[in-house]
Amino acid sequence: MEHLISINCVKLLIATLFYTCVLSSSVEQKIYVELNNTVPCVRLLNATHQIGCQSSISGDTGVLHVLETESDLDWILSSGPHPPYMVIMETAFFNRSVMMRMKNSPRVAGVAVIVSKTGLADHFSPHTTCPNQNTGLYSENNAPELANCNMTVWNPFGNGLSYEDFSFPVFALKDENQTQVIRKCYEDHNLRVNGSAPRYPLCAMQLFSHMHAVTDTVTCMRRTDLQNRFSINPEVLCDPLSDFNVWTSTRPLNSSAKGHVADESVVIAATRLDGRSFFWEQAPAAEGTVSGIVTLLATIQALYPVTREAPPPRNIFFTFFQGEAFDYIGSSKMVYDMEKNDFVIDLNNVHSMLEIGQIGLRRGQSLWMHSDPVSRRNTSVDTEVLNLMKNVNSAAAGLSVKLDQPSFSQPLPPSSFQRFLRAKQIPGLVLADHNTSFNNRYYESMYDDAENMNVTYPPNLSPDEQLVYETEEAKSLAEVATLVARSLYMQAGGENSRLSNITADPKIVAQLLYGFLVQKNNSWFRSLLPPEVTKKGDNSILSSGPPQFYIGLGPRIHGPVHSVTRFVQYILANLTGSVTNLTESQCQNPSEVNTENKDFFSYFWVSGPASVNGTEEPFCVQASVRLSKAVSPAFELLQYGSRDYSTWTESRWKSIRARIFLVASRELEMLTLGVGVAVLLLSLLVTYFISSKAELLFSSARETPTTTY
């Protein structure tokens, strides 16, 4: 009987705990409104600094106040009676002046920026005025007169906001419906009436974005290494920014052989894969990155059929560098590997280099051919640079592309080419739509998007119609791609008689622009990717909207490769590869097939275009498209304080979230606490009284047992 009673007690206890958990969850939902579609500013670190934002470990809370006028800012920073404040601001107020005033005020608990184009300034770049100035070609030891943008300020609109360290959280609000909920909460509870302070209860916001790493990369990596050595359950505090470069060549190169390739001369065509902004993974990078990616892909599409029919004497090596926004991660890794004979070619195989920079805002103006004045002091290098310029000018014949070159003394703009020149004097050019400072008024910001590049579509077009619609920008970039393709063919020693057959397809450019700037989940991109990716829906890299170009942390965040890296990899395979009759298992394991050569080719199992009945017919593509690591050599050398290589890391965190709720006055909170303490003390007193009188209160008269003999 006693055993049965104890079982029932246990069941009752479990039921009570379950009910309490459900009830507490229900109460939490009634108190808080969770804000789901938010993007934080996170902490990044390098050899000397930490930048970005973070909250306290328990989150930062403040009374909401919408910043709409200068008087609102005064209220927040000085006269408001309910600090600390959580500031909600439109785009117009998100600038360095306002943010620095709030950074230095203890009355600000955090900031939430409403992402919209309303009130957007004529220019906004949170990057510095001199991008990558510490890891480029020019320094105190090499052409100091050109270092630190002494001669040319490339990004004059840069305000450096992305490189500040904020001790409070800063979030971006992307969901318009949730923004309206926040505004309504503010207007119902926090709005001032005739200048007087609002009364409690007030609407408040709580932001969670506590970062684990502090100080700099040296400190963070040292602490992580110590934990890995001595802790049973080590906790990683930060990770190096990393991903992969993508490359291919007109003549396949043996990926298993490393170092110098005999009798191989290579012309490199390059662009970058990444961008960044103030907020984590919010980097549309239209002019800054996409214009170069699209142009180089279209160049490859125009060039490959001709190089197969009439291969030029020199090989053309196409590469897309990842992590260039963070001190040239991808290009410095490739150069490092070439120097260590750990790549398919070395620097002695490189004949010359042509890099595509920002070219999306040309709009009928000249395309500028930038060269390095320091290396051109060498007569042989200067001769080759002049020959490359001659080829580019010759390739422009019959095209509506005007070419020009800056003054001889002007340095190179920020470019991957600078990392190659640090290792060896190589002839080369950087093509850009600007002579001196950038045309891009929103460089490395979340507003460098399709609209900034003037990629717009007529109303009432379906998504599939927009995909193939040839905008003016698509036609302009197709012209540049044709110019680059013909220039490369001539530079590689190809026959001039073949140039008329080299023409970039504006339709391909239109599809690329739509996929990279408007909607990555489109029919063309789906047909190029593996079936397992296309079937995952919103959980795959084909979620709605354009891709983001922040490099991230490679495998930890994005899986095997970053989404943009994978897009470029598979698009390249589609443009340069050939269809094989391999099965899915053979395609994924080509080493098991004797007739295939995995040292020269990669194999891609792709979905294929949808048929009339909507089904896809996957097939295998063979292409000489490869990935190579894009991680700074500083982490391979364990030189976390390196001044020669990128040392950027991203802090880890446990929770990123935001919520709003109503907060009572301090007096009411203290009264509630006091009543709660009184009830607790009273319950303890009653419990003690009952316990001490238990025998009297709960004893029952004992019956004398009747015994029968």
Side-chain angles (χ1 to χ4, degrees), residues 279-524:
F279 295 102
W280 182 65
E281 289 206 326
Q282 291 300 298
E287 158 73 345
T289 300
V290 174
S291 62
I293 293 175
V294 169
T295 301
L296 189 54
L297 288 171
T299 296
I300 295 168
Q301 171 268 323
L303 198 52
Y304 247 78
V306 177
T307 57
R308 284 179 176 176
E309 292 179 8
R314 297 189 184 98
N315 203 348
I316 305 176
F317 182 93
F318 303 96
T319 180
F320 298 78
F321 291 121
Q322 184 65 274
E324 299 302 275
F326 293 94
D327 292 330
Y328 306 119
I329 293 174
S331 57
S332 63
K333 173 59 174 171
M334 184 174 286
V335 171
Y336 175 81
D337 288 343
M338 287 182 180
E339 291 179 309
K340 300 299 179 183
N341 291 321
D342 197 25
F343 196 65
V344 293
I345 57 174
D346 67 4
L347 291 170
N348 292 325
N349 288 123
V350 179
H351 172 268
S352 53
M353 184 168 177
L354 182 61
E355 181 173 351
I356 303 173
Q358 300 183 74
I359 57 170
L361 298 178
R362 186 170 60 89
R363 295 174 184 171
Q365 302 300 314
S366 294
L367 192 65
W368 294 86
M369 299 180 290
H370 295 266
S371 61
D372 170 44
V374 178
S375 60
R376 289 184 67 183
R377 295 170 188 168
N378 182 308
T379 305
S380 61
V381 172
D382 185 54
T383 301
E384 287 295 336
V385 170
L386 291 174
N387 184 59
L388 178 53
M389 287 183 176
K390 178 183 175 183
N391 288 336
V392 176
N393 278 294
S394 299
L399 301 175
S400 58
V401 180
K402 294 181 290 185
L403 292 165
D404 208 338
Q405 55 182 301
S407 65
F408 184 85
S409 60
Q410 181 170 293
L412 281 171
S415 54
S416 307
F417 184 36
Q418 292 195 28
R419 292 301 304 194
F420 282 80
L421 287 171
R422 281 182 59 144
K424 184 182 178 183
Q425 290 189 340
I426 297 172
L429 296 175
V430 176
L431 298 181
D433 57 20
H434 55 88
N435 175 14
T436 53
S437 58
F438 298 157
N439 291 335
N440 190 358
R441 296 172 294 118
Y442 300 105
Y443 179 73
E444 304 289 38
S445 82
M446 57 184 172
Y447 304 113
D448 183 15
D449 54 12
E451 185 177 334
N452 186 40
M453 267 181 65
N454 200 30
V455 177
T456 57
Y457 301 90
N460 303 321
L461 288 184
S462 68
D464 286 338
E465 290 172 334
Q466 289 182 350
L467 176 63
V468 296
Y469 180 79
E470 296 178 13
T471 62
E472 290 302 314
E473 185 63 27
K475 296 174 184 177
S476 174
L477 291 183
E479 286 268 284
V480 177
T482 300
L483 168 75
V484 174
R486 293 177 180 178
S487 303
L488 290 170
Y489 192 70
M490 295 172 68
Q491 185 68 10
E495 303 171 6
N496 288 352
S497 59
R498 299 275 182 174
L499 295 182
S500 59
N501 298 329
I502 301 174
T503 305
D505 186 355
K507 180 181 177 182
I508 293 290
V509 176
Q511 291 175 308
L512 290 168
L513 284 174
Y514 181 80
F516 283 122
L517 292 179
V518 181
Q519 180 57 265
K520 59 183 178 289
N521 191 359
N522 61 71
S523 58
W524 189 50

Side-chain angles (χ1 to χ4, degrees), residues 2-20:
E2 291 180 359
H3 180 65
L4 184 62
I5 293 174
S6 72
I7 292 176
N8 289 333
C9 289
V10 170
K11 289 181 178 178
L12 181 62
L13 179 61
I14 293 173
T16 303
L17 289 173
F18 176 77
Y19 178 75
T20 303

Side-chain angles (χ1 to χ4, degrees), residues 20-157:
T20 303
C21 291
V22 172
L23 186 62
S24 64
S25 175
S26 175
V27 170
E28 183 179 14
Q29 291 175 3
K30 290 179 180 179
I31 294 175
Y32 300 103
V33 176
E34 296 290 337
L35 306 174
N36 297 319
N37 201 359
T38 60
V39 182
C41 155
V42 302
R43 173 168 290 168
L44 301 174
L45 309 98
N46 66 6
T48 56
H49 292 81
Q50 65 179 29
I51 62 172
C53 322
Q54 79 151 355
S55 73
S56 62
I57 194 168
S58 58
D60 288 343
T61 304
V63 174
L64 279 180
H65 195 89
V66 178
L67 176 57
E68 295 177 315
T69 64
E70 190 67 29
S71 63
D72 288 321
L73 189 57
D74 292 335
W75 178 271
I76 293 166
L77 298 180
S78 57
S79 58
H82 308 303
Y85 286 98
M86 195 65 70
V87 183
I88 310 295
M89 64 168 66
E90 293 278 3
T91 301
F93 284 92
F94 185 53
N95 55 57
R96 182 177 180 84
S97 174
V98 172
M99 290 298 293
M100 294 307 291
R101 289 179 65 183
M102 291 192 291
K103 175 183 177 180
N104 299 320
S105 173
R107 295 171 56 88
V108 176
V111 174
V113 181
I114 299 172
V115 178
S116 72
K117 293 296 183 73
T118 305
L120 180 62
D122 181 64
H123 55 80
F124 177 76
S125 174
H127 210 282
T128 61
T129 57
C130 191
N132 290 354
Q133 68 187 84
N134 296 319
T135 50
L137 174 62
Y138 311 110
S139 64
E140 295 179 358
N141 301 321
N142 182 49
E145 71 279 5
L146 304 178
N148 301 314
C149 296
N150 287 335
M151 179 169 288
T152 305
V153 178
W154 297 109
N155 186 33
F157 297 130

Side-chain angles (χ1 to χ4, degrees), residues 166-207:
F166 294 93
S167 58
F168 53 74
V170 182
F171 278 50
L173 305 175
K174 298 179 63 180
D175 191 309
E176 188 174 343
N177 293 330
Q178 290 191 340
T179 301
Q180 293 302 320
V181 171
I182 295 171
R183 282 189 176 278
K184 187 173 189 322
C185 186
Y186 169 77
E187 292 169 357
D188 290 347
H189 300 279
N190 296 18
L191 200 62
R192 288 178 288 171
V193 180
N194 298 324
S196 60
R199 295 181 178 180
Y200 286 98
L202 297 174
C203 189
M205 177 181 280
Q206 188 173 28
L207 301 178

Side-chain angles (χ1 to χ4, degrees), residues 547-569:
Q548 299 301 321
F549 291 82
Y550 172 67
I551 177 177
L553 306 179
R556 186 173 80 83
I557 298 297
H558 305 289
V561 293
H562 190 285
S563 60
V564 172
T565 308
R566 176 168 283 196
F567 288 144
V568 171
Q569 180 189 18

